[in-house]
DNA sequence: ATGAAAGCTCAAGTGAGGTTTAGATCAAGC
DNA sequence: GCTTGATCTAAACCTCACTTGAGCTTTCAT
């Protein structure tokens, strides 16, 4: 354990495939922490490669950075996730993905019924009027809507 | 067919459940078009209710406004989508959703194999190193990445 | 004819997940 | 000691899908 245990930000970037700017961003968001040299440059632990890897994989699985930060914060003493942590976390992900699949399958079914009907009536369309809106958030601040939509109408 | 065929923006908003501001936004993006009164107020055709409904349903199915604009533009003479158009479009959506489901199922499988292994090595992790990155875009401009990631490394 | 309700434009804000830019400083090899 | 490349900070910028606000104008029912 000598000084080569500490790596520069560019090394961490190269080892994980993430941009240097993204690592600084993660630090700002509290997802990783860095030591500093006398000159003010960041030095990371080798273990942070694993930590960043965790971030990337969790992102692939659809977690937001905030959720990932939550998971990482739950680990005692800012520890890097190990096999046991991963087992617990991935259990939760299983359920989440299962729900996504179920919602998509329901969509598929509705779409099948709907092809050719061309009704496009928001009042009647089974595709639009579903309770499991969960399906896809599709991109963008759609979270600002979602409760309005009281009086939806018919084309007539 | 007299003047009541034309409806004000507020009517269109009420009939579709979309905010007035959103309709102006759609107009700016070229998704709908409006006539103007002498006073400069927008007047829409009744058929535009159907058109906006189409936008909403397509959004629910995960299309971006740009993609929706593409579909609408493909209709001859700015026509409102009818049953035949809808059949064609929903055929494409079927495939898209099927692919999403397949990707999620593959994730589920990999995650099942992975639980407890805790390797978190980007080089070896089957979850991270997949060809079908399609799975989830999860929220946020992740579309800027996606081609980099040439030199991904091992924890050691 | 009037007053409320609805409409108008244009600019700026939101949030997620970053990137880009500019100008200065640090670290390392020769 | 010098040059080169890496790193630093801070602020600005990007997309997407809208919303909000300010400051006026139009429309419509009475």
């Amino acid at each position: 354990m000598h000084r080569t245990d500490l790596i520069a930000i560019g090394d961490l970037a190269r080892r994980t495939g993430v941009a240097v700017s993204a690592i600084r961003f993660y630090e700002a968001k509290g997802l990783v922490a860095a030591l500093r040299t006398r000159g003010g440059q960041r030095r990371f632990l080798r273990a942070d490669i694993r930590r960043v890897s965790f971030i990337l994989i969790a992102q692939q699985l659809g977690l937001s950075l905030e959720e990932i930060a939550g998971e990482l914060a739950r680990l005692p003493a800012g520890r890097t996730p190990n096999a046991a942590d991963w087992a617990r976390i991935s259990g939760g992900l299983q359920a989440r993905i299962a729900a996504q699949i179920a919602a998509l399958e329901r969509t598929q079914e509705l779409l099948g019924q709907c092809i050719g009907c061309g009704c496009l009536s928001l009042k009647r369309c089974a595709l639009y009027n579903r309770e499991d809106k969960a399906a896809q958030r599709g991109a963008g601040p759609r979270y600002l809507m979602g409760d309005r939509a009281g009086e939806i109408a018919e084309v007539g």
Side-chain angles (χ1 to χ4, degrees), chain A residues 3 6 35-43:
Chain A
R3 68 164 47 74
L6 297 175
L35 304 167
R36 298 290 181 136
T37 62
R38 275 146 297 151
Q41 298 197 353
R42 291 171 182 80
R43 288 300 180 263

Side-chain angles (χ1 to χ4, degrees), chain A residues 2-22:
Chain A
H2 46 306
R3 68 164 47 74
T4 59
D5 276 337
L6 297 175
I7 60 176
I9 194 167
D11 296 330
L12 183 53
R14 239 164 283 120
R15 300 296 291 273
T16 57
V18 184
V20 166
S21 62

Side-chain angles (χ1 to χ4, degrees), chain A residues 21-68:
Chain A
S21 62
I23 295 175
R24 292 202 190 100
F25 182 76
Y26 293 156
E27 193 200 17
K29 292 280 172 181
L31 291 165
V32 289
L35 304 167
R36 298 290 181 136
T37 62
R38 275 146 297 151
Q41 298 197 353
R42 291 171 182 80
R43 288 300 180 263
F44 294 90
L45 300 173
R46 251 165 215 299
D48 287 321
I49 296 173
R50 193 174 279 271
R51 207 176 163 91
V52 172
S53 302
F54 174 76
I55 295 172
L56 295 175
I57 293 172
Q59 268 191 320
Q60 287 274 325
L61 295 173
L63 281 79
S64 67
L65 289 187
E66 200 176 347
E67 292 172 305
I68 296 170

